Amino acid sequence: MNHSSAIKTMKTTAGPGGRTAYLKRWDAPVAGYLFIAPWLIGFFWLTAYPMLLSLYYSFTDYTLMQPVSWTGLHNYSKIFTADAKFVKSVQVTFMYVAASVPLKLIAALLVAVILNKAVKGISAYRTAIYFPSLIGGSIAVSLLWRNIFGIDGFFNKILASFGLEGSSWITNPNTALSSLILLTVWQFGSSMVIFLAGLKQIPADLYEASSVDGANRWFQFFKITLPMLSPTLYFNLIMGVINAFQMFTSAYVITNGGPMNSTNVYALYLYEQAFSRYHLGYASALAWVMLVIIVIISLLIAGTSKYWVFYESDTGGGRK
Amino acid sequence: MMNCKRFLMMVLAVSMLLLSACGNAENNSGAKEDSSSGAEGKIKLRIMWWGAQERHEATLAALDLYTKQNPQVTFEPEYSGMDGYLDKLSTQAAADNAPDVVQLDPGWVSDWIGRGQLAELSAVDVSKIDGKLLAAGQNGDTQYAVPLGSVAYGMIYDKTALEKLGAPSPANGWTWDEFFALAKEVKGKLPEGQYFTKDYAGDYFAYSAFQYSKGKGQVVSNEGKFNIDQATFLEWGHQFAELRAEGLVPPADVNTSDKEFDPSMDLMVTGKIIFRLAFSNNYGAWDSLKENAYALVTMPRGVEAGGWLKPSMYFSVAKSSKHAEEAAKFVDWFVNDPEAAKILGTKRGMPVNTEIAAAIEPELSANDKIGMELLTATQKDGQTFSPGAPGWTNYIDKDWLLARDELSFGEATPEEAYEHLKTAAQEYEK
């Protein structure tokens, strides 16, 4: 917009009346938009534009080097009808999500409840327990994990001291995925911090009142803590599911999808198509299929939320 | 008043944005000027290779020497083991950000040329290099990749372990029948947790050697056709099934955990297996992990030789390189300079420049000489190396890997594995 129109826009803010709805929406925050412009540019240029481009590529046979030609729905029909590896990777990913997300949430919640106590030096404990999450997603930890669960690894040495015979956990198709899940669960820190914040929000008088009525700890946990914490749980669940669907690093570094594709998670398969085979059009289609899967699952969870997520503002509704 | 303030703020915000954008642009163009200013300015070449520790050390020393002789050129080396190397390189190349100088396996070169990812190397003097080695790096008459060494494919074995079992050491020119007979001979004598060899049932390279030895040629023909001989593959598969049943190869999870040259994961170094496949130039790498424990022997043969000589690896200059000329100059020095050759030894195999190879022969280290013996023994009647048809890299890297796991985990019979490999090949056949 040019200066005069900008000034005109500004002028309209002076008087409270007589503004059109359009201007109402736009005049006041112009400076604001400009201030967040760096972020907006980043969003449009680095996120929205590549996403749209990948949507376009998903309908082509783009291979990086050759000229692009439009192939319509060919990539999508191949994914759903003629790609056994896609099916396998979806299976593996669902297994991974179904196991890692609940386990991680349970671990995070339990530890948060324990850490929500006024003990001396509690912040030191909190830091110590949060620490793995800070370093968790890194290559170094993945390499460490590979050694811990390798054939001559630390874990097997511990088992041996109890007289048990270990196996090479990460190269056994029956246990490889489990060891990756374990690594994920170990990184429960960020969910834990959010749970901890949620726990602090629960009014202490609820517990006092219930203990006057003779409720024990378990009863309090299930009847007060969980319902009061359900919005936090809901948030952590959605975020956890979205993250889990995109898991890549540990599967790539620790097992590289093997053995027998038992850890070939979706993102890893997508990477293989894109950067080992240079099928970028096909990989783009895979990415959009994953987006749709994640959206559907998130909507399903959102749909169930009204049955189990409890907001304090609903109290009037008589949920007792 | 209020309006005025807001307007000022807006102007401020816009100008800040523009300023910062300008600043960036200026920086960028400045950097570009710096790096492309040719002979006068400093040049930093990115270079990437894979290898074991001793190759890293030798290469870094050679780079230092080059910088000493050409002070305007410095290097930014990226080196690692073979694990994940191609993934990393391919990803960088996809982003038009490949290092200036890249080390490529002979099998990949044609794919890279085909995709137009390599720069011409006509500036490199290849007059003293064997034409057979050059061929795999050419497209028509244009050289895109320069061979760095020539190596022999054979076997390495733990001679101390074999002696302990009271078994005879194999001699060059031995056969696959003798190989399997030796396995049976040590059966029952092996201590717990030790096995005769790796489970090679689904190993592309080991099987290639076996099929060669039967006179059945390559697994994938030069024309890009699936060429696994069914009877040979089944014989191989069933031989290994027998070894598996008798506990002469490691259980599948142990077998899969093998990482060559990793001090705690290489199955031979950790004492779990006695025999494994090896390239002649890598003897030193294993010897540095466990001194004087190992010996080399030719690949077992059949009606024909099992082993072959091959160009170990190539240097190429990425098409995206901004210093293609300087990079080519460096590659030329790397293969043709006698000083460089002295430092590099046979870490990438016998030098390809025949004059240099002859010159350094008397100065070879003891380990290099052991490798040379295998090279000479294989040279006699070894198979002719072929880089293979273009476009099959993933067949070897991904599909055979799956077959390997299926066979060793007992999820597929050799018959089924054959069918899987045959089906998978259809995607690559043109």
Side-chain angles (χ1 to χ4, degrees), chain B residues 392-429:
Chain B
W392 287 74
T393 309
N394 284 303
Y395 184 63
I396 298 159
D397 283 1
K398 310 272 186 214
D399 296 301
W400 268 83
L401 216 58
L402 184 60
R404 177 198 75 181
D405 287 348
E406 283 176 343
L407 283 167
S408 64
F409 282 104
E411 296 284 326
T413 61
E415 286 81 1
E416 286 163 348
Y418 173 80
E419 289 303 327
H420 293 177
L421 285 171
K422 193 174 170 183
T423 316
Q426 286 164 2
E427 198 190 319
Y428 301 87
E429 282 183 336

Side-chain angles (χ1 to χ4, degrees), chain A residues 247-269:
Chain A
M247 110 78 128
F248 174 80
T249 312
S250 54
Y252 177 66
V253 175
I254 301 176
T255 54
N256 200 4
M260 287 202 296
N261 293 331
S262 65
T263 60
N264 197 9
V265 289
Y266 199 95
L268 195 60
Y269 177 54

Side-chain angles (χ1 to χ4, degrees), chain A residues 109-190:
Chain A
L109 182 58
L110 283 182
V111 176
V113 168
I114 293 166
L115 288 182
N116 190 30
K117 300 256 184 301
V119 187
K120 216 175 154 191
I122 189 72
S123 45
Y125 290 120
R126 281 181 198 155
T127 312
I129 287 175
Y130 184 61
F131 194 65
S133 305
L134 286 179
I135 54 168
S138 72
I139 302 284
V141 172
S142 298
L143 287 173
L144 179 75
W145 216 253
R146 192 162 87 178
N147 282 326
I148 291 177
F149 288 97
I151 180 79
D152 291 325
F154 180 67
F155 188 68
N156 279 348
K157 297 226 162 92
I158 293 180
L159 284 184
S161 68
F162 289 105
L164 295 167
E165 201 185 334
S167 119
S168 180
W169 305 95
I170 53 169
T171 53
N172 185 325
N174 299 320
T175 55
L177 191 62
S178 312
S179 44
L180 298 188
I181 291 170
L182 201 60
L183 175 59
T184 313
V185 173
W186 182 54
Q187 295 157 15
F188 56 74
S190 55

Side-chain angles (χ1 to χ4, degrees), chain A residues 1 3 6-7 10-14 27-28 30-31 34-35 37-38 41 63-66 78 85 146-147 150-152 165-173 252-254 256 258-261 271-280, chain B residues 3 6-7 9-14 16-17 83-91 93-95 112 114-117 192 252-259 262 264-265 267 270 272 394-395 398-399 401-402 405-407 409 411 427-428:
Chain A
M1 87 181 51
H3 278 188
I7 289 165
M10 292 294 145
K11 273 195 184 135
T12 54
T13 46
D27 60 352
V30 166
L34 283 169
F35 274 110
I41 291 171
T63 58
L64 208 65
M65 307 299 159
Q66 275 87 30
K78 189 175 168 202
K85 238 175 156 183
R146 192 162 87 178
N147 282 326
I151 180 79
D152 291 325
E165 201 185 334
S167 119
S168 180
W169 305 95
I170 53 169
T171 53
N172 185 325
Y252 177 66
V253 175
I254 301 176
N256 200 4
M260 287 202 296
N261 293 331
Y271 174 84
E272 179 194 321
Q273 285 292 351
F275 296 108
S276 297
R277 300 184 188 265
Y278 287 119
H279 296 163
L280 277 101
Chain B
N3 282 349
R6 237 188 219 149
F7 179 67
M9 265 165 80
M10 211 172 78
V11 171
L12 196 75
V14 172
M16 268 164 62
L17 210 94
D83 217 27
Y85 176 86
L86 183 59
D87 279 346
K88 189 178 170 194
L89 185 57
S90 306
T91 311
W112 282 66
R115 287 194 298 255
Q117 291 172 308
E192 212 195 313
D253 55 342
V254 177
N255 194 60
T256 321
S257 73
D258 178 49
K259 289 229 180 310
D262 184 311
S264 63
M265 294 172 116
L267 291 180
T270 54
K272 292 192 177 66
N394 284 303
Y395 184 63
K398 310 272 186 214
D399 296 301
L401 216 58
L402 184 60
D405 287 348
E406 283 176 343
L407 283 167
F409 282 104
E411 296 284 326
E427 198 190 319
Y428 301 87

